[in-house]
Amino acid sequence: MSNARPKLSLPAQMVIGLVVGVLVGLVVSADVCGTYFRPLGQLFITLIRMVVVPLVLATIIAGAAGIHDLGKLGRVAVKTLVYYFATTAVAVIIGLVLANITQPGIGLDLSTEGLKAASVTPPNLIQTLLNIVPMNPMDALAKGNMLQVIFFAVMFGFALSSLGESGRPLLRVFELMGETMIRMTNIVMMYAPIGVFGLMAFTVSQHGVAVLLPLGKLIAVMFAAAIIHVCVCYIPLVRGVVGISPLKFFKGVAEPALIAFTTCSSAAALPNNLQSVRRLGASKGVASFSIPLGNTINMDGTAIYMGVAAVFAAEVYGIPMPIDKQLTVLLMGVLASIGTAGVPGAGLIMVSMVFTQINIPLEAVALVAGIDRILDMARTSLNVLGDATGALVVSRLEGDLNKDPFHEGEKTGALGTGTETYEG
Protein backbone atom coordinates (compact mmCIF):
# COMPACT_ATOMS: atom_id res chain seq x y z
CA MET A 1 0.00 0.00 0.00
CA SER A 2 1.50 3.32 -1.05
CA ASN A 3 2.18 5.95 1.61
CA ALA A 4 2.60 8.71 -0.97
CA ARG A 5 0.46 11.72 -0.24
CA PRO A 6 -1.70 13.11 -3.05
CA LYS A 7 -0.05 16.19 -4.52
CA LEU A 8 -1.99 19.43 -4.44
CA SER A 9 -2.64 20.84 -7.89
CA LEU A 10 -1.14 24.22 -8.71
CA PRO A 11 -4.52 26.02 -8.75
CA ALA A 12 -5.21 24.61 -5.26
CA GLN A 13 -1.81 25.82 -4.05
CA MET A 14 -2.53 29.26 -5.52
CA VAL A 15 -5.89 29.44 -3.76
CA ILE A 16 -4.17 28.59 -0.48
CA GLY A 17 -1.60 31.32 -1.14
CA LEU A 18 -4.43 33.76 -1.89
CA VAL A 19 -6.35 32.93 1.32
CA VAL A 20 -3.26 33.07 3.53
CA GLY A 21 -2.26 36.36 1.88
CA VAL A 22 -5.69 37.88 2.64
CA LEU A 23 -5.49 36.79 6.29
CA VAL A 24 -1.95 38.11 6.70
CA GLY A 25 -2.89 41.38 5.01
CA LEU A 26 -5.72 41.89 7.52
CA VAL A 27 -3.45 41.60 10.58
CA VAL A 28 -0.06 42.88 9.37
CA SER A 29 0.64 46.56 8.74
CA ALA A 30 0.92 47.97 5.23
CA ASP A 31 4.53 48.99 5.87
CA VAL A 32 5.59 45.46 6.81
CA CYS A 33 3.68 43.93 3.88
CA GLY A 34 5.16 46.49 1.49
CA THR A 35 8.70 45.85 2.72
CA TYR A 36 8.72 42.07 3.04
CA PHE A 37 5.80 40.57 1.12
CA ARG A 38 5.28 42.85 -1.88
CA PRO A 39 8.70 41.97 -3.40
CA LEU A 40 7.62 38.31 -3.46
CA GLY A 41 4.72 39.27 -5.73
CA GLN A 42 6.77 41.66 -7.84
CA LEU A 43 9.30 38.89 -8.48
CA PHE A 44 6.51 36.59 -9.69
CA ILE A 45 5.15 39.20 -12.13
CA THR A 46 8.65 39.91 -13.45
CA LEU A 47 9.40 36.21 -13.95
CA ILE A 48 6.17 35.71 -15.90
CA ARG A 49 6.70 38.79 -18.06
CA MET A 50 10.22 37.56 -18.79
CA VAL A 51 8.84 34.68 -20.85
CA VAL A 52 5.93 36.47 -22.55
CA VAL A 53 7.64 38.15 -25.52
CA PRO A 54 9.82 35.21 -26.65
CA LEU A 55 6.87 32.84 -26.16
CA VAL A 56 4.52 35.00 -28.25
CA LEU A 57 7.14 35.50 -30.97
CA ALA A 58 7.95 31.80 -31.27
CA THR A 59 4.38 30.49 -31.11
CA ILE A 60 2.95 33.00 -33.59
CA ILE A 61 5.77 32.43 -36.10
CA ALA A 62 5.33 28.67 -35.81
CA GLY A 63 1.54 28.98 -36.00
CA ALA A 64 1.53 31.33 -39.00
CA ALA A 65 4.11 29.20 -40.80
CA GLY A 66 1.90 26.18 -40.18
CA ILE A 67 -1.16 27.90 -41.76
CA HIS A 68 -0.18 27.68 -45.40
CA ASP A 69 -3.52 29.10 -46.55
CA LEU A 70 -3.56 32.91 -46.38
CA GLY A 71 -7.35 32.82 -46.66
CA LYS A 72 -7.57 30.68 -43.52
CA LEU A 73 -5.58 33.21 -41.49
CA GLY A 74 -7.88 35.93 -42.81
CA ARG A 75 -10.94 33.98 -41.68
CA VAL A 76 -9.40 33.39 -38.26
CA ALA A 77 -8.59 37.10 -37.91
CA VAL A 78 -12.09 38.24 -38.95
CA LYS A 79 -13.88 35.76 -36.67
CA THR A 80 -11.61 36.66 -33.76
CA LEU A 81 -12.18 40.41 -34.19
CA VAL A 82 -15.96 39.99 -34.60
CA TYR A 83 -16.02 37.97 -31.38
CA TYR A 84 -13.99 40.63 -29.54
CA PHE A 85 -16.19 43.51 -30.68
CA ALA A 86 -19.44 41.64 -29.95
CA THR A 87 -18.50 40.55 -26.44
CA THR A 88 -17.10 44.00 -25.64
CA ALA A 89 -20.41 45.60 -26.67
CA VAL A 90 -22.35 43.15 -24.49
CA ALA A 91 -19.98 43.90 -21.61
CA VAL A 92 -20.62 47.66 -21.77
CA ILE A 93 -24.39 47.05 -21.94
CA ILE A 94 -24.28 44.79 -18.87
CA GLY A 95 -22.26 47.38 -16.96
CA LEU A 96 -24.67 50.18 -17.87
CA VAL A 97 -27.84 48.21 -17.14
CA LEU A 98 -26.66 46.90 -13.77
CA ALA A 99 -25.36 50.31 -12.72
CA ASN A 100 -28.69 51.92 -13.67
CA ILE A 101 -30.57 49.32 -11.62
CA THR A 102 -28.35 49.40 -8.52
CA GLN A 103 -27.35 53.11 -8.64
CA PRO A 104 -23.99 52.70 -6.85
CA GLY A 105 -23.37 56.46 -6.63
CA ILE A 106 -26.70 57.46 -5.06
CA GLY A 107 -26.56 58.35 -1.36
CA LEU A 108 -22.78 58.52 -1.15
CA ASP A 109 -21.31 61.45 0.73
CA LEU A 110 -17.93 61.64 -0.98
CA SER A 111 -16.07 64.91 -1.03
CA THR A 112 -14.67 65.78 -4.43
CA GLU A 113 -12.81 68.86 -3.25
CA GLY A 114 -9.08 68.78 -3.81
CA LEU A 115 -9.26 65.70 -6.00
CA LYS A 116 -7.18 65.88 -9.14
CA ALA A 117 -6.83 63.37 -11.92
CA ALA A 118 -3.86 63.39 -14.23
CA SER A 119 -4.74 64.75 -17.64
CA VAL A 120 -4.73 61.92 -20.15
CA THR A 121 -4.52 62.50 -23.87
CA PRO A 122 -6.33 59.75 -25.79
CA PRO A 123 -4.21 58.22 -28.52
CA ASN A 124 -5.11 58.99 -32.12
CA LEU A 125 -6.81 55.91 -33.61
CA ILE A 126 -5.20 56.25 -37.05
CA GLN A 127 -1.75 56.74 -35.54
CA THR A 128 -2.32 53.74 -33.28
CA LEU A 129 -3.14 51.59 -36.32
CA LEU A 130 -0.05 52.88 -38.16
CA ASN A 131 2.07 52.13 -35.11
CA ILE A 132 1.14 48.45 -35.37
CA VAL A 133 3.85 48.17 -38.03
CA PRO A 134 7.22 48.20 -36.25
CA MET A 135 9.97 50.38 -37.68
CA ASN A 136 12.48 48.21 -35.82
CA PRO A 137 11.30 44.71 -34.81
CA MET A 138 14.14 44.40 -32.31
CA ASP A 139 12.98 47.59 -30.59
CA ALA A 140 9.41 46.24 -30.45
CA LEU A 141 10.69 43.04 -28.85
CA ALA A 142 12.80 44.97 -26.34
CA LYS A 143 9.92 47.24 -25.34
CA GLY A 144 7.34 44.45 -25.30
CA ASN A 145 5.02 46.21 -27.76
CA MET A 146 2.74 43.25 -28.31
CA LEU A 147 0.81 44.49 -31.35
CA GLN A 148 4.06 45.19 -33.19
CA VAL A 149 5.49 41.82 -32.13
CA ILE A 150 2.32 40.06 -33.37
CA PHE A 151 2.39 41.88 -36.71
CA PHE A 152 6.06 41.08 -37.31
CA ALA A 153 5.66 37.45 -36.20
CA VAL A 154 2.69 36.84 -38.53
CA MET A 155 4.55 38.30 -41.52
CA PHE A 156 7.71 36.39 -40.64
CA GLY A 157 5.71 33.17 -40.29
CA PHE A 158 4.13 33.53 -43.73
CA ALA A 159 7.47 34.37 -45.31
CA LEU A 160 8.94 31.30 -43.65
CA SER A 161 6.04 29.17 -44.89
CA SER A 162 6.63 30.36 -48.46
CA LEU A 163 10.14 28.85 -48.37
CA GLY A 164 8.63 25.36 -48.36
CA GLU A 165 10.93 22.48 -47.44
CA SER A 166 14.01 24.69 -47.30
CA GLY A 167 12.44 26.62 -44.44
CA ARG A 168 11.65 23.55 -42.35
CA PRO A 169 14.86 23.69 -40.25
CA LEU A 170 14.18 27.29 -39.20
CA LEU A 171 10.52 26.49 -38.50
CA ARG A 172 11.67 23.67 -36.25
CA VAL A 173 13.88 26.15 -34.38
CA PHE A 174 10.87 28.32 -33.55
CA GLU A 175 8.78 25.28 -32.63
CA LEU A 176 11.51 24.19 -30.21
CA MET A 177 11.81 27.74 -28.90
CA GLY A 178 8.07 27.80 -28.17
CA GLU A 179 8.24 24.43 -26.42
CA THR A 180 11.21 25.62 -24.38
CA MET A 181 9.41 28.81 -23.30
CA ILE A 182 6.38 26.74 -22.27
CA ARG A 183 8.68 24.54 -20.19
CA MET A 184 10.24 27.66 -18.67
CA THR A 185 6.75 28.95 -17.84
CA ASN A 186 6.01 25.70 -16.02
CA ILE A 187 9.18 26.15 -13.98
CA VAL A 188 8.26 29.74 -13.11
CA MET A 189 4.76 28.64 -12.08
CA MET A 190 6.23 26.52 -9.30
CA TYR A 191 6.81 29.86 -7.55
CA ALA A 192 3.23 31.09 -8.21
CA PRO A 193 1.69 30.29 -4.76
CA ILE A 194 4.38 32.37 -3.03
CA GLY A 195 3.94 35.22 -5.50
CA VAL A 196 0.15 35.16 -5.06
CA PHE A 197 0.59 35.25 -1.28
CA GLY A 198 2.86 38.30 -1.48
CA LEU A 199 0.56 40.21 -3.84
CA MET A 200 -2.60 39.54 -1.84
CA ALA A 201 -1.00 40.34 1.52
CA PHE A 202 0.16 43.71 0.22
CA THR A 203 -3.12 44.51 -1.55
CA VAL A 204 -5.30 43.72 1.48
CA SER A 205 -2.99 45.61 3.85
CA GLN A 206 -3.20 48.67 1.58
CA HIS A 207 -7.00 48.54 1.13
CA GLY A 208 -8.37 47.80 4.57
CA VAL A 209 -12.05 47.39 5.36
CA ALA A 210 -12.31 51.08 6.31
CA VAL A 211 -11.27 52.10 2.79
CA LEU A 212 -13.53 49.59 1.05
CA LEU A 213 -16.78 50.14 2.96
CA PRO A 214 -17.78 53.56 1.52
CA LEU A 215 -17.37 52.24 -2.03
CA GLY A 216 -18.48 48.70 -1.27
CA LYS A 217 -21.57 49.00 -3.48
CA LEU A 218 -19.46 50.01 -6.48
CA ILE A 219 -17.14 47.04 -5.89
CA ALA A 220 -20.13 44.69 -5.58
CA VAL A 221 -21.69 46.01 -8.80
CA MET A 222 -18.42 45.56 -10.71
CA PHE A 223 -17.96 41.97 -9.56
CA ALA A 224 -21.65 41.15 -10.10
CA ALA A 225 -21.50 42.54 -13.64
CA ALA A 226 -18.42 40.42 -14.35
CA ILE A 227 -20.20 37.28 -13.13
CA ILE A 228 -23.29 38.12 -15.20
CA HIS A 229 -21.12 38.60 -18.29
CA VAL A 230 -19.58 35.15 -17.75
CA CYS A 231 -23.07 33.63 -17.45
CA VAL A 232 -24.56 35.53 -20.40
CA CYS A 233 -21.62 35.35 -22.84
CA TYR A 234 -18.96 32.80 -22.01
CA ILE A 235 -20.93 29.88 -20.59
CA PRO A 236 -23.45 29.73 -23.49
CA LEU A 237 -20.59 29.97 -26.02
CA VAL A 238 -18.55 27.29 -24.26
CA ARG A 239 -21.52 24.93 -23.96
CA GLY A 240 -23.40 25.72 -27.17
CA VAL A 241 -20.63 26.52 -29.67
CA VAL A 242 -17.48 24.88 -28.34
CA GLY A 243 -19.38 21.86 -27.00
CA ILE A 244 -17.58 21.33 -23.69
CA SER A 245 -19.00 21.55 -20.18
CA PRO A 246 -18.53 24.85 -18.32
CA LEU A 247 -17.02 22.89 -15.42
CA LYS A 248 -14.29 21.51 -17.67
CA PHE A 249 -13.70 24.97 -19.13
CA PHE A 250 -13.35 26.73 -15.77
CA LYS A 251 -11.18 23.94 -14.42
CA GLY A 252 -8.99 24.25 -17.51
CA VAL A 253 -8.55 28.03 -17.23
CA ALA A 254 -8.22 28.15 -13.43
CA GLU A 255 -4.50 28.94 -13.51
CA PRO A 256 -4.54 31.94 -15.86
CA ALA A 257 -7.71 33.28 -14.18
CA LEU A 258 -6.05 33.14 -10.76
CA ILE A 259 -2.89 34.75 -12.10
CA ALA A 260 -4.96 37.55 -13.66
CA PHE A 261 -6.98 38.02 -10.45
CA THR A 262 -3.96 38.32 -8.19
CA THR A 263 -1.53 40.18 -10.45
CA CYS A 264 -4.06 42.42 -12.31
CA SER A 265 -1.88 41.80 -15.38
CA SER A 266 -3.17 40.17 -18.56
CA ALA A 267 0.41 39.88 -19.79
CA ALA A 268 1.37 37.87 -16.71
CA ALA A 269 -1.45 35.41 -17.44
CA LEU A 270 -0.72 35.12 -21.18
CA PRO A 271 1.67 32.10 -21.19
CA ASN A 272 -0.63 30.01 -19.00
CA ASN A 273 -3.72 31.09 -20.92
CA LEU A 274 -2.09 29.96 -24.15
CA GLN A 275 -1.31 26.54 -22.66
CA SER A 276 -4.76 26.23 -21.06
CA VAL A 277 -6.74 26.72 -24.27
CA ARG A 278 -4.42 24.35 -26.10
CA ARG A 279 -5.09 21.72 -23.44
CA LEU A 280 -8.81 22.31 -23.89
CA GLY A 281 -8.56 21.63 -27.62
CA ALA A 282 -7.89 24.97 -29.32
CA SER A 283 -5.71 24.61 -32.40
CA LYS A 284 -2.14 25.85 -32.30
CA GLY A 285 -2.65 28.33 -35.13
CA VAL A 286 -5.79 29.89 -33.68
CA ALA A 287 -4.51 29.98 -30.09
CA SER A 288 -1.14 31.47 -30.99
CA PHE A 289 -2.90 34.23 -32.94
CA SER A 290 -5.98 35.02 -30.85
CA ILE A 291 -4.58 34.80 -27.31
CA PRO A 292 -1.75 37.36 -27.76
CA LEU A 293 -4.03 39.60 -29.84
CA GLY A 294 -6.84 39.38 -27.28
CA ASN A 295 -4.34 40.08 -24.52
CA THR A 296 -3.75 43.42 -26.20
CA ILE A 297 -7.15 44.55 -27.53
CA ASN A 298 -9.89 42.38 -25.96
CA MET A 299 -11.06 44.26 -22.87
CA ASP A 300 -14.45 42.94 -21.72
CA GLY A 301 -13.66 43.60 -18.07
CA THR A 302 -12.50 47.15 -18.77
CA ALA A 303 -15.61 47.71 -20.92
CA ILE A 304 -17.86 46.74 -18.00
CA TYR A 305 -15.87 49.08 -15.77
CA MET A 306 -16.43 51.93 -18.23
CA GLY A 307 -20.20 51.49 -18.06
CA VAL A 308 -20.32 51.14 -14.27
CA ALA A 309 -17.87 53.99 -13.64
CA ALA A 310 -19.71 56.37 -15.99
CA VAL A 311 -23.05 55.88 -14.21
CA PHE A 312 -21.39 55.98 -10.76
CA ALA A 313 -19.54 59.23 -11.46
CA ALA A 314 -22.61 60.86 -13.00
CA GLU A 315 -24.65 60.00 -9.90
CA VAL A 316 -21.99 61.33 -7.52
CA TYR A 317 -21.83 64.63 -9.41
CA GLY A 318 -25.59 64.79 -10.03
CA ILE A 319 -25.13 64.75 -13.81
CA PRO A 320 -28.05 63.33 -15.84
CA MET A 321 -27.27 60.23 -17.95
CA PRO A 322 -29.94 60.09 -20.67
CA ILE A 323 -30.00 57.30 -23.24
CA ASP A 324 -27.93 59.23 -25.79
CA LYS A 325 -25.03 59.60 -23.34
CA GLN A 326 -25.24 55.92 -22.46
CA LEU A 327 -25.16 55.00 -26.15
CA THR A 328 -22.03 57.15 -26.42
CA VAL A 329 -20.47 55.12 -23.59
CA LEU A 330 -21.38 51.92 -25.49
CA LEU A 331 -19.80 53.13 -28.74
CA MET A 332 -16.68 54.44 -26.98
CA GLY A 333 -16.29 51.15 -25.15
CA VAL A 334 -16.19 49.18 -28.40
CA LEU A 335 -13.88 51.57 -30.27
CA ALA A 336 -11.53 52.39 -27.41
CA SER A 337 -10.39 48.77 -27.08
CA ILE A 338 -8.41 49.26 -30.29
CA GLY A 339 -7.72 52.97 -29.77
CA THR A 340 -5.83 52.20 -26.55
CA ALA A 341 -4.19 48.98 -27.71
CA GLY A 342 -0.67 48.56 -26.42
CA VAL A 343 -0.83 51.74 -24.32
CA PRO A 344 0.22 51.46 -20.64
CA GLY A 345 -2.65 52.27 -18.28
CA ALA A 346 -5.24 51.49 -20.94
CA GLY A 347 -8.07 51.30 -18.39
CA LEU A 348 -7.42 54.84 -17.17
CA ILE A 349 -7.21 56.14 -20.73
CA MET A 350 -10.45 54.45 -21.76
CA VAL A 351 -12.38 55.78 -18.76
CA SER A 352 -10.90 59.26 -19.21
CA MET A 353 -11.94 59.23 -22.88
CA VAL A 354 -15.52 58.34 -21.89
CA PHE A 355 -15.73 60.94 -19.10
CA THR A 356 -14.45 63.65 -21.45
CA GLN A 357 -16.94 62.65 -24.15
CA ILE A 358 -19.99 62.82 -21.84
CA ASN A 359 -18.81 65.88 -19.84
CA ILE A 360 -18.05 64.21 -16.52
CA PRO A 361 -15.19 65.91 -14.60
CA LEU A 362 -11.95 63.94 -14.79
CA GLU A 363 -11.68 64.29 -11.01
CA ALA A 364 -14.19 61.45 -10.89
CA VAL A 365 -11.36 59.11 -11.90
CA ALA A 366 -9.55 60.08 -8.70
CA LEU A 367 -12.69 59.23 -6.70
CA VAL A 368 -12.24 55.51 -7.29
CA ALA A 369 -8.44 55.51 -7.46
CA GLY A 370 -8.21 54.09 -3.94
CA ILE A 371 -10.11 50.94 -4.86
CA ASP A 372 -8.92 50.65 -8.45
CA ARG A 373 -6.69 47.66 -7.60
CA ILE A 374 -9.72 45.77 -6.26
CA LEU A 375 -11.78 46.60 -9.35
CA ASP A 376 -8.84 45.68 -11.57
CA MET A 377 -8.93 42.12 -10.21
CA ALA A 378 -12.38 41.63 -11.74
CA ARG A 379 -11.48 43.50 -14.94
CA THR A 380 -8.33 41.54 -15.68
CA SER A 381 -9.80 38.14 -14.82
CA LEU A 382 -12.69 38.77 -17.19
CA ASN A 383 -10.35 39.92 -19.96
CA VAL A 384 -8.38 36.67 -19.68
CA LEU A 385 -11.50 34.48 -19.60
CA GLY A 386 -12.75 36.30 -22.69
CA ASP A 387 -9.51 35.57 -24.55
CA ALA A 388 -9.72 31.87 -23.66
CA THR A 389 -13.36 31.61 -24.74
CA GLY A 390 -12.57 33.35 -28.04
CA ALA A 391 -9.73 30.96 -28.91
CA LEU A 392 -11.98 27.94 -28.33
CA VAL A 393 -14.95 29.43 -30.21
CA VAL A 394 -12.87 30.34 -33.28
CA SER A 395 -11.19 26.91 -33.24
CA ARG A 396 -14.63 25.29 -33.29
CA LEU A 397 -15.90 27.58 -36.06
CA GLU A 398 -12.82 26.71 -38.12
CA GLY A 399 -13.39 23.00 -37.52
CA ASP A 400 -9.99 22.72 -35.82
CA LEU A 401 -11.08 21.95 -32.25
CA ASN A 402 -9.26 18.89 -30.86
CA LYS A 403 -7.55 18.22 -34.23
CA ASP A 404 -4.19 19.56 -33.07
CA PRO A 405 -3.63 18.06 -29.59
CA PHE A 406 -1.29 19.75 -27.15
CA HIS A 407 1.44 17.44 -25.87
CA GLU A 408 3.34 18.06 -22.69
CA GLY A 409 6.36 15.98 -21.97
CA GLU A 410 5.34 15.24 -18.40
CA LYS A 411 1.96 14.42 -16.94
CA THR A 412 -0.56 15.93 -19.27
CA GLY A 413 -1.70 13.99 -22.29
CA ALA A 414 -3.25 15.14 -25.52
CA LEU A 415 -6.34 17.20 -24.89
CA GLY A 416 -9.61 16.66 -26.56
CA THR A 417 -9.54 12.88 -26.35
CA GLY A 418 -12.04 12.79 -23.54
CA THR A 419 -9.70 10.73 -21.37
CA GLU A 420 -7.28 13.40 -20.20
CA THR A 421 -7.13 14.87 -16.71
CA TYR A 422 -6.21 18.47 -16.10
CA GLU A 423 -3.13 18.90 -13.99
CA GLY A 424 -1.75 22.28 -13.00
Side-chain angles (χ1 to χ4, degrees), residues 8 19 29 36 64-65 72 79 97 107 144 196 240 249 286 310 316 365 375 384 400 408-409:
L8 279 176
V19 172
S29 70
Y36 297 103
K72 180 178 177 63
K79 290 173 183 176
V97 169
V196 167
F249 171 73
V286 171
V316 169
V365 177
L375 300 176
V384 168
D400 292 340
E408 266 183 310

Side-chain angles (χ1 to χ4, degrees), residues 71-368:
K72 180 178 177 63
L73 183 63
R75 292 196 308 272
V76 169
V78 169
K79 290 173 183 176
T80 301
L81 291 174
V82 168
Y83 164 84
Y84 289 160
F85 285 135
T87 56
T88 298
V90 172
V92 181
I93 293 171
I94 289 173
L96 287 170
V97 169
L98 195 61
N100 277 288
I101 292 172
T102 59
Q103 300 182 325
I106 296 295
L108 281 183
D109 184 20
L110 295 176
S111 174
T112 58
E113 292 183 11
L115 287 178
K116 289 186 178 180
S119 179
V120 178
T121 303
N124 181 280
L125 179 58
I126 294 177
Q127 192 59 45
T128 299
L129 294 175
L130 290 176
N131 287 339
I132 293 176
V133 182
M135 184 179 297
N136 182 348
M138 296 301 106
D139 183 62
L141 290 168
K143 292 180 178 178
N145 189 320
M146 295 309 298
L147 274 181
Q148 292 187 350
V149 171
I150 292 168
F151 182 88
F152 173 75
V154 169
M155 288 201 66
F156 190 99
F158 269 107
L160 180 58
S161 175
S162 69
L163 296 178
E165 282 302 313
S166 62
R168 289 294 303 172
L170 183 56
L171 172 58
R172 184 57 183 154
V173 168
F174 283 106
E175 290 175 341
L176 285 173
M177 181 179 172
E179 292 170 11
T180 303
M181 296 313 301
I182 288 173
R183 187 66 58 87
M184 185 181 293
T185 301
N186 292 336
I187 295 171
V188 169
M189 286 306 298
M190 295 170 66
Y191 177 74
I194 298 174
V196 167
F197 160 76
L199 288 167
M200 291 307 300
F202 174 71
T203 299
V204 174
S205 69
Q206 287 289 105
H207 306 282
V209 176
V211 177
L212 301 182
L213 283 179
L215 296 171
K217 192 174 182 181
L218 176 62
I219 296 171
V221 170
M222 179 66 206
F223 276 79
I227 293 171
I228 291 172
H229 188 67
V230 170
C231 296
V232 169
C233 269
Y234 303 155
I235 290 179
L237 287 171
V238 166
R239 182 187 291 277
V241 178
V242 181
I244 63 176
S245 72
L247 181 61
K248 179 179 179 180
F249 171 73
F250 289 117
K251 187 178 180 182
V253 297
E255 281 185 33
L258 277 171
I259 293 171
F261 184 81
T262 53
T263 65
C264 297
S265 170
S266 296
L270 191 154
N272 278 80
N273 207 22
L274 184 58
Q275 290 184 71
S276 296
V277 297
R278 289 284 289 117
R279 290 191 184 104
L280 287 170
S283 70
K284 185 175 183 179
V286 171
S288 62
F289 175 80
S290 63
I291 294 294
L293 182 64
N295 191 265
T296 308
I297 70 172
N298 186 34
M299 300 183 182
D300 288 359
T302 308
I304 284 180
Y305 175 63
M306 289 170 64
V308 172
V311 174
F312 169 80
E315 290 171 349
V316 169
Y317 280 90
I319 299 173
M321 277 286 285
I323 189 65
D324 60 324
K325 282 191 175 182
Q326 298 202 31
L327 288 175
T328 299
V329 174
L330 171 61
L331 181 62
M332 291 290 291
V334 176
L335 296 180
S337 61
I338 285 188
T340 58
V343 180
L348 171 64
I349 293 174
M350 290 173 73
V351 171
S352 300
M353 289 168 65
V354 170
F355 283 6
T356 301
Q357 194 71 25
I358 59 177
N359 299 317
I360 292 177
L362 278 181
E363 285 73 20
V365 177
L367 265 181
V368 296

